[in-house]
Amino acid sequence: MGKASEVSVEGVITALDYPLKAEVIALRDLLLAVDPSIGEQIKRNAPGFHTTEHFATLQLRKPEVLGWCCIWGRRRGSCRRR
């Protein structure tokens, strides 16, 4: 797969061979309908969503589970070990 900027989310979803494809499409449609400032791109070989910063990525690793990884307010260096 090419760089995220070279790959369209629509193309990846069209070619997606995943048992929960209908749920992926429904969740994508829901997220994009929430606010017109929400954009999407392919991140980690799955649809990812952003406004001014990336905030969520779908996880399509397991065929029986549609995973969802949310990133809320985390900044580089904010999770340091003490």
Side-chain angles (χ1 to χ4, degrees):
M1 195 168 278
K3 293 180 184 176
S5 61
E6 297 172 357
V7 179
S8 81
V9 175
E10 191 68 41
V12 168
I13 289 178
T14 299
L16 186 62
D17 181 22
Y18 187 68
L20 301 174
K21 183 176 181 174
E23 288 80 359
V24 170
I25 293 168
L27 184 55
R28 175 184 178 236
D29 291 346
L30 178 70
L31 279 168
L32 293 176
V34 167
D35 190 297
S37 69
I38 295 176
E40 61 183 345
Q41 70 184 69
I42 296 300
K43 186 169 177 122
R44 298 184 184 103
N45 297 323
F49 302 91
H50 58 85
T51 53
T52 56
E53 293 185 31
H54 182 81
F55 68 85
T57 302
L58 299 181
Q59 294 180 338
L60 310 176
R61 290 183 221 131
K62 297 180 180 179
E64 68 279 1
V65 177
L66 174 56
W68 169 265
C69 178
C70 294
I71 300 98
W72 302 112
R74 183 172 178 208
R75 301 283 183 254
R76 183 175 292 219
S78 66
C79 297
R80 294 184 187 153
R81 290 183 182 255
R82 297 182 191 264

